[in-house]
Amino acid sequence: MTELPVPALSLVALIGISGSGKSTFAGRHFAPSQVLSSDGFRAMVADDENDQSASAAAFDALHYVAGKRLAGGRLTVVDATNVQDHARTNLVALARAHDVLPVAIVLDLPEDEAWARTQRRPDRTFDRPVLARQSRDLRRTLKKLSREGFRTVHVLRGHEEIEAATIRLQP
Ligand code: ATP
Ligand code: MG
């Protein structure tokens, strides 16, 4: 078991390609009300969690709610791939605006394993090149997280490390 220290008042960005287990991880380690997922907000604004054309509106709404939570001093977890620079930049800015610490938890599962899981899911229909692009973005992401302003960066490499991780909230 590996305890990952996380400040009790922080904005936690889960980072990982589709199928890496972000939503599963969030469900295991955080209360449902603490987790804001891009899928959930796409469904909220467009009735379809896979509707990529709804992403802009979904993230607007997600950031708005995250801001309200952080203003109230509540730990907030963002369950989205967060492999694109602008996604993380927005989260760091949001954390700073509310004077809370931005935390990154990376789920770095090999692309083949994520793809195998994805193919077993009826709710995911994207093609392999989409996942390959996410993987490339993730590799770049890993090199620059600290520079981007994430004060705590936890990288879980592979299934075993992801399974063994627990969260320890720090006052
Ligand atoms: P997406 O970005 O598409 O939302 P995700 O990163 O949230 O993906 P999950 O939905 O958590 O990924 O997991 C993808 C699939 O892998 C699911 O079918 C889930 O049941 C399975 N899975 C997740 N975590 C584990 C795990 N630790 N062990 C085995 N299977 C897992
Ligand atoms: Mg998910």
Side-chain angles (χ1 to χ4, degrees):
M1 202 174 84
T2 313
E3 285 191 333
L4 311 178
V6 169
L9 181 45
S10 54
L11 176 59
V12 178
L14 298 181
I15 300 173
I17 63 175
S18 189
S20 60
K22 300 177 298 294
S23 301
T24 305
F25 186 92
R28 261 184 214 168
H29 300 294
F30 298 97
S33 56
Q34 293 176 319
V35 180
L36 306 181
S37 84
S38 50
D39 283 347
F41 277 87
R42 276 192 207 93
M44 233 181 278
V45 302
D47 298 319
D48 177 359
E49 64 172 44
N50 287 304
D51 184 349
Q52 300 302 314
S53 74
S55 289
F59 278 101
D60 260 6
L62 187 155
H63 292 146
Y64 183 79
V65 175
K68 293 294 181 193
R69 290 186 55 82
L70 296 175
R74 297 181 188 285
L75 175 80
T76 301
V77 180
V78 177
D79 172 12
T81 57
N82 290 318
V83 293
Q84 293 185 318
D85 291 0
H86 67 87
R88 296 188 308 279
T89 305
N90 287 337
L91 294 181
V92 170
L94 190 61
R96 287 199 177 133
H98 292 90
D99 213 16
V100 308
L101 292 167
V103 173
I105 301 181
V106 182
L107 277 58
D108 186 6
L109 191 76
E111 189 185 319
D112 285 345
E113 287 176 48
W115 179 244
R117 287 181 185 180
T118 297
Q119 285 184 301
R120 290 195 290 270
R121 290 170 72 183
D123 58 328
R124 286 290 184 272
T125 54
F126 57 80
D127 296 326
R128 180 79 188 233
V130 172
L131 200 64
R133 165 167 288 279
Q134 291 179 3
S135 288
R136 278 198 302 277
D137 288 342
L138 178 66
R139 299 264 77 78
R140 294 192 192 108
T141 298
L142 283 166
K143 293 179 193 149
K144 50 189 178 184
L145 281 174
S146 306
R147 229 184 307 144
E148 287 175 349
F150 287 97
R151 298 293 297 276
T152 303
V153 176
H154 297 301
V155 182
L156 302 171
R157 293 202 167 79
H159 179 71
E160 259 97 64
E161 282 189 21
I162 294 169
E163 283 291 289
T166 59
I167 304 291
R168 180 162 44 83
L169 292 183
Q170 297 182 310

